[in-house]
Amino acid sequence: MDKALQNKSLVTPSDNQTTYRVLFIIAGCHLLNDSLQAVIPAMFPILERSMGLSFTQLGLIAFALNMVSSVMQPVVGTYTDKRPIPYALPIGLTSSMFGILGLALAPNFWFVLISVVFIGLGSAVFHPEGSRVVYLAAGDKRGLAQSIFQVGGNSGQALAPVITALILVPLGQKGALWFTLIAGLAVIFLTYIARWYKGQMELIARQKKNIVSKKPNIDIAKSIKIAIVLLVFIVFARSWYAAAISNFYAFYAIDTYQISIANSQIYIFIFLAMGAVGTFIGGPLADRFGRKNIILLSLIAVSPLSVLLPFVGSVFAMVLLAIIGIILMTSFSVTVVYAQELIPGKIGLMSGLIVGLAFGMGAIGAVALGVFIDLFGLSTTMIMASLLPLLGFLALLLPSDKRVQGWYN
């Protein structure tokens, strides 16, 4: 952590000015990247019928995608904190493009798993490096900048039910071939971003020569570790609950409300689309009212609504999913910014840890929830999952924004 204090005093060209052009392009690439990942859970009903997969196997597919991404993100972030690789961004999306191609042509369960590993690797490279680009372009509006970036990803995820209803239901598994074009478009945009990123890193490298390193206070280092552990539990609660809704609520709606696959996607779309709205407003709200306050509110306010959701009718369920999506996801970008400010010299590591952790927890949650559904049934599992947001009370123990800022002033 010595270099965390060192890099805190580092002045970059974007420290005072927000480079919106770069932010909107990288957010657009985030949308394209995450829409590729959205193809996988969107294909679950298709794969279940065409290959006769169990809920446990579907959970393992989600696990393969998200766990590869989550494990590799902090690894990539740690490496690029020391040796930034701007052109890793287009290279990562090329990996995802090959993964989507394999998924569209996969003849069996194991080929699907291999394909999603390639997609997971692409995502593992994109997220920490994309977050570094956002940090460089943010200026003094870090919450807003991270929200712009993350809302691109959440919008891409929200496309999953639309993808299912408009492309995968009529075209089947091979409909995923269309998304190789999306991957190719992302590679082109990311090549442009990589050039800008490279120029920024060259300027920073010249400035680093004049910075003197300091050792952090032992008590501060301990407090930082405790705060990171608390963030882990908070991300766990949010990710497992989001996994329950995004991966399995469609099946719950089909069984409970007796609707078609296409109509069940409306519920998922509402949750994910409103989640994108929540992600966008969360950053500016955190800039104004504090990171810790928004993290706390996002889970505590959702708790009574999540408990009520499994017991309401089909129409009111849509209303609740919209409200839950907005409130729950206000903390998505905020937890990333909060973690970056805990250790400001480790932008790639902290971005990779928090975003990767969200993917990883979602992966474990998908497998666990799939097993629970096979063992206990959909209704019981959804009721159990509804209690997860209660873990948000742990946010009360996080250090305040003012205290975190005081550590580095």
Side-chain angles (χ1 to χ4, degrees):
M1 284 177 52
D2 329 354
K3 294 183 180 178
L5 291 176
Q6 168 183 338
N7 292 340
K8 178 68 178 178
S9 58
L10 195 63
V11 178
T12 71
S14 301
D15 272 341
N16 298 319
Q17 268 191 326
T18 303
T19 313
Y20 287 103
R21 167 178 50 85
V22 171
L23 287 177
F24 286 125
I25 293 174
I26 195 68
C29 291
H30 199 182
L31 186 152
L32 297 176
N33 177 81
D34 283 25
S35 68
L36 298 179
Q37 291 183 258
V39 171
I40 296 169
M43 287 183 69
F44 278 4
I46 308 296
L47 295 174
E48 187 227 1
R49 293 189 177 182
S50 64
M51 296 184 183
L53 303 182
S54 67
F55 282 108
T56 300
Q57 287 177 309
L58 294 176
L60 286 171
I61 292 172
F63 179 86
L65 170 69
N66 295 324
M67 186 54 70
V68 169
S69 175
S70 71
V71 169
M72 292 302 297
Q73 278 192 47
V75 174
V76 172
T78 300
Y79 183 84
T80 55
D81 278 334
K82 298 177 180 178
R83 301 177 185 84
I85 310 174
Y87 285 93
L89 284 165
I91 293 171
L93 259 292
T94 301
S95 172
S96 295
M97 182 169 63
F98 283 113
I100 285 291
L101 180 64
L103 183 65
L105 304 176
N108 54 50
F109 169 70
W110 295 108
F111 205 96
V112 170
L113 281 181
I114 294 171
S115 299
V116 300
V117 165
F118 277 93
I119 298 171
L121 287 172
S123 179
V125 172
F126 176 82
H127 283 98
E129 286 298 89
S131 287
R132 192 189 310 280
V133 169
V134 171
Y135 189 88
L136 293 171
D140 58 357
K141 298 180 180 177
R142 290 179 186 169
L144 173 62
Q146 192 64 225
S147 281
I148 292 172
F149 177 62
Q150 296 297 347
V151 79
N154 285 13
S155 299
Q157 294 168 20
L159 291 174
V162 177
I163 290 167
T164 300
L166 299 182
I167 300 177
L168 298 179
V169 169
L171 298 181
Q173 182 180 342
K174 290 187 178 179
L177 282 170
W178 286 100
F179 294 92
T180 57
L181 299 177
I182 290 178
L185 184 63
V187 170
I188 293 172
F189 283 126
L190 287 174
T191 301
Y192 169 80
I193 288 293
R195 292 172 183 167
W196 179 87
Y197 176 9
K198 182 179 179 182
Q200 296 294 299
M201 297 313 298
E202 288 172 351
L203 289 172
I204 291 173
R206 288 197 292 270
Q207 291 178 347
K208 275 187 177 181
K209 295 177 181 178
N210 300 320
I211 303 298
V212 178
S213 170
K214 298 179 183 179
K215 290 187 177 181
N217 180 284
I218 294 175
D219 292 334
I220 291 176
K222 183 178 179 181
S223 297
I224 289 172
K225 291 176 183 177
I226 293 172
I228 291 173
V229 171
L230 291 172
L231 278 182
V232 167
F233 281 101
I234 291 166
V235 171
F236 159 76
R238 188 184 64 213
S239 299
W240 270 51
Y241 185 71
I245 301 297
S246 59
N247 287 309
F248 299 113
Y249 194 84
F251 296 104
Y252 179 81
I254 291 169
D255 285 357
T256 304
Y257 306 131
Q258 302 299 307
I259 58 177
S260 66
I261 290 176
N263 288 335
S264 72
Q265 299 304 306
I266 296 172
Y267 293 86
I268 311 305
F269 175 75
I270 289 172
F271 173 74
L272 295 175
M274 291 302 100
V277 173
T279 299
F280 180 73
I281 66 176
L285 287 174
D287 284 340
R288 182 177 178 83
F289 299 108
R291 324 285 192 223
K292 176 182 174 178
N293 292 335
I294 298 303
I295 293 171
L296 177 63
L297 177 68
S298 72
L299 287 165
I300 299 305
V302 158
S303 299
L305 304 179
S306 66
V307 172
L308 184 60
L309 180 63
F311 305 102
V312 300
S314 59
V315 176
F316 195 44
M318 294 183 186
V319 176
L320 283 181
L321 283 169
I323 298 172
I324 290 170
I326 289 176
I327 298 174
L328 182 70
M329 299 309 292
T330 54
S331 67
F332 190 86
S333 61
V334 179
T335 50
V336 177
V337 176
Y338 186 88
Q340 289 175 342
E341 292 179 348
L342 283 174
I343 310 182
K346 302 291 183 181
I347 301 304
L349 171 60
M350 299 313 294
S351 301
L353 177 65
I354 298 302
V355 179
L357 187 64
F359 279 112
M361 290 297 184
I364 296 171
V367 174
L369 290 165
V371 172
F372 289 159
I373 291 171
D374 286 336
L375 292 175
F376 306 114
L378 272 168
S379 296
T380 301
T381 302
M382 296 307 295
I383 291 170
M384 292 167 58
S386 71
L387 302 176
L388 287 167
L390 291 170
L391 287 174
F393 280 102
L394 289 171
L396 290 168
L397 304 176
L398 289 172
S400 67
D401 295 33
K402 180 180 282 189
R403 186 181 176 196
V404 172
Q405 291 168 6
W407 289 340
Y408 295 104
N409 288 330

